[in-house]
Amino acid sequence: MTAKIIDGNAVARHVRSEWKKRVETLKSRGVIPGLAVIIIGDNPASRVYVRNKVKACAEVGLQSEVHEFPANVAPEAVIRRIRELNQNSAIHGVLVQLPLPPHLEPRSLLGEIAVDKDVDGFHLYNVGGLVVGENNIFPPCTPYGVQCILEYEKIPVEGQNVVVVGASNIVGKPMALMLMAKEATVSICHIKTRDLAQYTILADILVVAAGCPNLITAPMVKRGAVVIDVGINRLPDGRLAGDVDFERVKEKAAYITPVPGGVGPMTVTMLICNTVAAAERKAAKNAGNKNPVTV
Ligand code: NAP
């Protein structure tokens, strides 16, 4: 068996074109969705991510603005800016690009973002909403992108054995919650998991987000499994690789995502979706609609 290689760029193009129509509807009602990105310091990777977000906004018809601060900024200055953006009616989504310089505490800054503008989905309200299955939250962009890939490829989730390798707050844990909400049977593995393979071999759907190249080898994967590789690793020779031994696992799996070109393009796409959804909810609220659009 050779797996179908999922083209994340094609899925992202499809999703963006669907959401572009929603942006046009909003524009016809005088609303332009707006995203504000706060970047602190000069981490080169963060700068690339922010540039990609700005570019994606322009492509789908959103307005975006970047608020830059030096690495040694006082937390109060950032909090002041977040509060201003919370009050700004032209801005529907606010995010703080992570990671932060060590003197800044992410939880306290992220907690300042208004819940209805928290398009990264990192505010505790949105995290809690994910736990209890609340509809009107913003799902974190990377697991939301994986969910969207599964839907696009019409891969059933209900009743499937799902194994998520990686238990971070931004990828692994929300991924597990989102797939549980779709009635999968989910196991979460992490660095202390004993004998990782005994879990991965049972997975109908294997989602890997550990940040370890070649962590998942072919003998660890069930024949016919769906393998979603979230990992992004820079190899010593400069190439990018995921966490899965792509060349060998693709001979065994039914579906596999490549790195690059798999989950990556979906993350920024889902940020756009969340920002448009935020603008739609705000517009519905302003119009007194008691049934705002949900994602
Ligand atoms: P993270 O915060 O470092 O979390 C990594 C998780 O993997 C942790 O739960 C860790 O376990 C677990 N882990 C690490 N090594 C492991 C091993 N050998 N066996 C089993 N579990 C292991 O990273 P993250 O932010 O979730 O990101 C994970 C990967 O996804 C990274 O490569 C990152 O670059 C990539 N990523 C990609 C996108 C995208 O758009 N494609 C977006 C976000 C992240 P412990 O909890 O026990 O430490």
Side-chain angles (χ1 to χ4, degrees):
M1 167 181 282
T2 300
K4 173 174 181 191
I5 297 167
I6 296 173
D7 180 351
N9 284 307
V11 186
R13 271 196 303 277
H14 170 79
V15 174
R16 286 183 197 194
S17 70
E18 290 298 307
W19 283 75
K20 203 169 180 171
K21 293 178 203 151
R22 293 168 71 154
V23 172
E24 276 150 21
T25 305
L26 279 169
K27 282 186 175 169
S28 70
R29 294 194 222 137
V31 177
I32 303 173
L35 174 70
V37 181
I38 295 177
I39 178 167
I40 303 166
D42 39 38
N43 178 324
S46 294
R47 288 195 172 273
V48 172
Y49 291 137
V50 169
R51 246 196 331 268
N52 288 342
K53 288 169 188 178
V54 168
K55 205 169 130 208
C57 280
E59 189 190 310
V60 186
L62 284 72
Q63 274 180 353
S64 64
E65 48 188 57
V66 178
H67 296 252
E68 294 196 36
F69 290 96
N72 62 355
V73 66
E76 296 75 23
V78 184
I79 289 173
R80 212 175 310 121
R81 185 66 56 87
I82 293 173
R83 290 181 180 165
E84 284 163 14
L85 292 167
N86 286 343
Q87 298 301 321
N88 183 340
S89 59
I91 293 297
H92 304 93
V94 178
L95 74 86
V96 177
Q97 184 65 42
L98 300 177
L100 296 175
H103 72 288
L104 295 173
E105 168 36 50
R107 189 54 62 208
S108 64
L109 291 190
L110 299 178
E112 287 291 335
I113 297 173
V115 166
D116 54 358
K117 297 192 179 188
D118 172 40
V119 287
D120 254 347
F122 295 159
H123 189 286
L124 287 183
Y125 176 87
N126 280 314
V127 176
L130 207 55
V131 174
V132 297
E134 171 70 44
N135 266 342
N136 257 333
I137 53 140
F138 298 109
C141 300
T142 301
Y144 188 16
V146 173
Q147 181 182 296
C148 204
I149 285 177
L150 296 174
E151 282 168 10
Y152 181 85
E153 295 292 344
K154 300 191 170 45
I155 294 167
V157 171
E158 186 186 306
Q160 299 295 295
N161 284 344
V162 172
V163 175
V164 180
V165 180
S168 71
N169 289 337
I170 64 167
V171 188
K173 283 186 208 162
M175 183 79 261
L177 288 164
M178 289 164 79
L179 295 173
M180 266 172 73
K182 301 272 176 203
E183 300 187 287
T185 302
V186 181
S187 308
I188 311 180
C189 301
H190 47 78
I191 201 137
K192 303 246 168 92
T193 299
R194 279 183 286 124
D195 190 4
L196 186 59
Q198 70 172 324
Y199 291 91
T200 59
I201 196 71
L202 294 178
D204 302 310
I205 301 173
L206 178 60
V207 183
V208 192
C212 297
N214 282 324
L215 179 65
I216 304 298
T217 57
M220 299 168 77
V221 176
K222 182 163 115 175
R223 193 162 291 283
V226 175
V227 180
I228 306 288
D229 191 353
V230 181
I232 302 178
N233 305 289
R234 180 72 64 185
L235 300 180
D237 64 7
R239 280 181 303 132
L240 284 184
D243 292 347
V244 175
D245 177 356
F246 179 82
E247 287 307 325
R248 291 179 184 82
V249 171
K250 83 172 171 17
E251 298 306 324
K252 208 172 171 190
Y255 293 83
I256 190 166
T257 58
V259 179
V263 176
M266 293 303 290
T267 296
V268 67
T269 299
M270 304 328 283
L271 173 67
I272 300 298
C273 301
N274 276 346
T275 306
V276 176
E280 287 175 342
R281 290 177 201 176
K282 185 71 193 316
K285 206 168 159 192
N286 287 347
N289 185 342
K290 298 277 186 291
N291 297 306
V293 180
T294 59
V295 288

